[in-house]
Amino acid sequence: MKLDDIRREYLQDALSEDNLQDDPFKQFETWLEHAVASQLPDPTAMVVATVDETGQPSQRIVLLKHLDDNGFVFFTNTGSRKAQELKGNNKISLHFPWHHMERQVIVYGEAKPLPTSAVAKYFLSRPKESQLAAWASAQSRPVSSRKVLMETFANMKNKFAKGEIPLPDFWGGYCVVPTKIEFWQGGAHRLHDRFIYQRQADNSWQITRLNP
């Protein structure tokens, strides 16, 4: 297999100063709407990058669950690797890889823990099986086999067979408050369009075109 021969041209669209919105959240919402309308698989999927105490980055795919003027929201087990790394260093990066549309968005910022009320509201909105899975999984920690995992799931299903499933004390969420947001649109001959929004001291946004 010759990996250096795998390439294609990016010709779908272009991005210019004239069609950029002043607010990066509005620009993101517009692109997300396009991703949903194009029936892109998992349009809310984002790569979440964190760094451990040795400086080693790690990544995983998480679903975006809410967006407002404060930032980008996701939920996770607070014992997970990402949550433990954020406890030591709350700097974070999100990456939305919308390859089908020849677009990417990269978010740089800080992850702020959500209040319990917001976490509970989301947790109770999940399908029952997903709630049970949250209880059954000690996320990121070793498990001897899938059989053991499924047995734990079955035990939780029996334990919470009646009534609502309570919020685990190890379940939480984060709002990623951005300092920078980059929008990337593929261009012909690798001359891509890249614009980065940088938050200023007065909370306004400065927009700069970047070389591809």
Side-chain angles (χ1 to χ4, degrees):
M1 183 185 299
K2 294 194 63 179
L3 298 182
D4 57 352
D5 284 342
I6 300 175
R7 63 171 60 87
R8 66 186 176 92
E9 283 284 10
Y10 299 104
L11 304 171
Q12 286 192 34
D13 208 344
L15 191 60
S16 70
E17 293 86 343
D18 295 336
N19 56 25
L20 274 177
Q21 301 194 51
D22 294 334
D23 184 333
F25 292 111
K26 289 185 170 56
Q27 181 66 40
F28 181 86
E29 286 177 346
T30 297
W31 273 22
L32 180 58
E33 288 170 1
H34 292 171
V36 173
S38 70
Q39 298 185 324
L40 188 71
D42 299 318
T44 61
M46 57 186 184
V47 178
V48 175
T50 55
V51 178
D52 71 11
E53 68 278 2
T54 70
Q56 173 63 55
S58 62
Q59 303 176 26
R60 72 289 292 161
I61 293 176
V62 177
L63 297 181
L64 176 69
K65 288 301 178 181
H66 182 69
L67 173 70
D68 58 29
D69 291 339
N70 295 314
F72 301 76
V73 170
F74 69 92
F75 297 88
T76 187
N77 185 311
T78 56
S80 66
R81 185 176 67 237
K82 65 177 115 26
Q84 292 303 303
E85 290 178 352
L86 288 171
K87 190 179 293 185
N89 179 357
N90 75 339
K91 297 291 178 64
I92 192 169
S93 181
L94 311 176
H95 177 222
F96 294 85
W98 295 325
H99 300 306
H100 177 70
M101 302 171 64
E102 300 176 359
R103 289 176 175 174
Q104 303 178 63
V105 180
I106 305 172
V107 178
Y108 304 88
E110 296 184 348
K112 310 288 187 180
L114 292 172
T116 302
S117 57
V119 175
K121 182 179 179 181
Y122 166 72
F123 184 81
L124 293 174
S125 74
R126 302 180 89 197
K128 185 174 181 179
E129 290 75 14
S130 295
Q131 294 178 18
L132 292 168
W135 275 99
S137 173
Q139 195 175 113
S140 300
R141 275 160 272 179
V143 62
S144 58
S145 66
R146 182 168 183 84
K147 180 182 178 183
V148 170
L149 177 64
M150 297 311 294
E151 286 174 350
T152 306
F153 180 80
N155 291 339
M156 291 299 160
K157 193 170 185 179
N158 290 332
K159 180 177 179 178
F160 299 120
K162 297 179 181 178
E164 284 191 346
I165 301 170
L167 174 69
D169 59 6
F170 52 80
W171 190 254
Y174 297 91
C175 178
V176 176
V177 181
T179 55
K180 298 185 292 185
I181 306 178
E182 179 182 336
F183 293 85
W184 182 101
Q185 176 71 62
H189 316 305
R190 298 299 186 266
L191 297 175
H192 313 302
D193 291 313
R194 296 174 60 191
F195 289 91
I196 192 162
Y197 292 73
Q198 294 180 279
R199 192 189 292 272
Q200 305 300 295
D202 62 358
N203 277 329
S204 64
W205 293 91
Q206 177 181 307
I207 305 173
T208 305
R209 177 185 275 273
L210 302 178
N211 270 289

